[in-house]
Amino acid sequence: LTGCPVHLRGFGPSVQFGIARGTASDVAPLVHASIARYSVQIQQIILSIPIAQYFTRHKFLGEEELALLNRYRVVSSVFECDRVSPDIAGPLKSIAQIWVACQANVDMLERCGLDRTKIRVVPVPYFDDDPLLTLRGRTRRKGVPRFYHIGKWEPRKAQDKIILAFMKAFRPGEAHLILKTSAWKAPSDGTYPQSAEIAIESALQSGLVDSRWTAANWKDSIEIISARLSSAEMLALHRFGDVYVTLSRGEGYDMPAFDAVLAGNRLVYTPSGGPQDFAAADDFPEGLCSYGSQD
């Protein structure tokens, strides 16, 4: 938005400046002059049906007044799904623009009937002083390939598939996998294991992994971290890893995967959602097939 006069509007009675008071008084006339010509209301929200209906139904505004307001309304959101219901898509048609974090969100919203020209990709930014950038070009540590994943333990993250794929691709001791995750507290319907340990036990009993994997030796190759890590510890995790694994089919952007790319690491990913926007041409979609002793 450099060079574009934009009015970032809050709910207070006056414009607030995040700069020194004296400077604010100097630039206020310019800002207010810009606001006189341009006024855009940017709302960063997670969309639900009630929130979407807010754009087409209002307690105090009539249809014409609401339509006028919607001409200047921009919604910024992230979609972690392959479709939205008509009850969400319909109201979105009435606003000026929709800002999303990845191209997959654009394609999804277009499939759901929205005008592609109203949708803008506004990717997550990074800055030149990001500590992760200091890891690029580093000399790889000696030893076996090191895979890692960061994310809350839940079905859409598909950590159970990461575990099974890893144990199918490698024998004990041939590679290392780190799962930085947290407990999943939602009720289980039996379709997703309640913890990484249960997922590993299921893999051992599946008959799909090498018989050399056992309950006694998997901890030598698979490390599970459930504690909160500091920024320095997260940086150390990216430094230790070689390949980041993301098998989700519903990530609107996938920040840990993006951080891994900033750190100069490789990706194993599913061709879905945000990772498609920043994965390199020589990263590995859909599997661990480029490593290991088995297909």
Side-chain angles (χ1 to χ4, degrees):
L1 296 175
T2 301
C4 178
V6 173
H7 175 195
L8 298 177
R9 188 173 182 180
F11 291 102
S14 61
V15 176
Q16 302 297 319
F17 298 96
I19 49 181
R21 182 170 298 177
T23 307
S25 63
D26 292 338
V27 303
L30 173 62
V31 174
H32 286 293
S34 300
I35 292 172
R37 295 187 57 191
Y38 303 90
S39 182
V40 177
Q41 187 180 69
I42 302 173
Q43 296 176 298
Q44 188 173 34
I45 54 179
I46 301 298
L47 281 162
S48 63
I49 292 176
I51 291 176
Q53 290 175 344
Y54 169 76
F55 305 132
T56 54
R57 304 175 190 173
H58 198 283
K59 187 175 182 179
F60 302 110
L61 299 180
E63 290 185 10
E64 292 185 3
E65 295 170 309
L66 190 56
L68 180 62
L69 174 61
N70 284 340
R71 287 175 54 191
Y72 301 98
R73 178 173 277 156
V74 174
V75 166
S76 174
S77 192
V78 174
F79 297 88
E80 298 177 327
C81 50
D82 62 357
R83 67 181 64 87
V84 293
S85 72
D87 291 326
I88 292 179
L92 287 178
K93 295 177 182 179
S94 66
I95 64 176
Q97 286 187 12
I98 306 166
W99 292 359
V100 296
C102 66
Q103 186 61 39
N105 279 183
V106 177
D107 299 337
M108 180 274 291
L109 291 173
E110 185 179 32
R111 289 196 307 271
C112 292
L114 275 76
D115 183 354
R116 194 181 188 93
T117 63
K118 295 173 58 174
I119 311 169
R120 302 284 189 271
V121 176
V122 182
V124 175
Y126 70 93
F127 302 95
D128 292 339
D129 60 351
D130 193 309
L132 290 163
L133 295 175
T134 65
L135 303 181
R136 301 181 71 89
R138 69 190 185 280
T139 301
R140 181 189 176 276
R141 294 174 184 237
K142 295 180 179 180
V144 298
R146 292 177 290 272
F147 299 87
Y148 69 113
H149 169 84
I150 302 166
K152 180 182 177 183
W153 183 266
E154 58 181 339
R156 70 178 182 86
K157 300 286 189 181
Q159 291 102 337
D160 61 332
K161 293 182 174 62
I162 294 174
I163 291 170
L164 182 60
F166 178 82
M167 296 178 76
K168 288 175 66 176
F170 301 102
R171 298 186 181 100
E174 289 183 340
H176 193 78
L177 172 65
I178 299 176
L179 293 176
K180 168 62 189 85
T181 186
S182 58
W184 184 48
K185 298 180 180 179
S188 173
D189 59 3
T191 60
Y192 195 75
Q194 286 289 287
S195 69
E197 290 84 358
I198 293 175
I200 293 169
E201 181 181 344
S202 177
L204 291 172
Q205 297 173 358
S206 68
L208 299 174
V209 305
D210 192 283
S211 61
R212 278 166 279 202
W213 285 106
T214 68
N217 67 22
W218 68 259
K219 290 184 179 179
D220 296 332
S221 300
I222 302 175
E223 182 179 354
I224 301 167
I225 302 174
S226 57
R228 182 181 295 273
L229 299 183
S230 67
S231 296
E233 290 170 327
M234 291 296 291
L235 185 66
L237 177 55
H238 286 289
R239 181 186 294 110
F240 181 79
D242 298 317
V243 182
Y244 188 85
V245 186
T246 172
L247 299 188
S248 171
R249 297 188 181 275
E251 290 292 353
Y253 200 72
D254 201 335
M255 283 300 300
F258 184 62
D259 287 345
V261 170
L262 292 184
N265 294 337
R266 308 297 299 277
L267 284 182
V268 168
Y269 67 100
T270 48
S272 170
Q276 297 175 110
D277 285 9
F278 53 78
D282 54 353
D283 283 325
F284 313 113
E286 292 203 45
L288 305 181
C289 55
S290 295
Y291 286 102
S293 56
Q294 304 179 37
D295 291 336

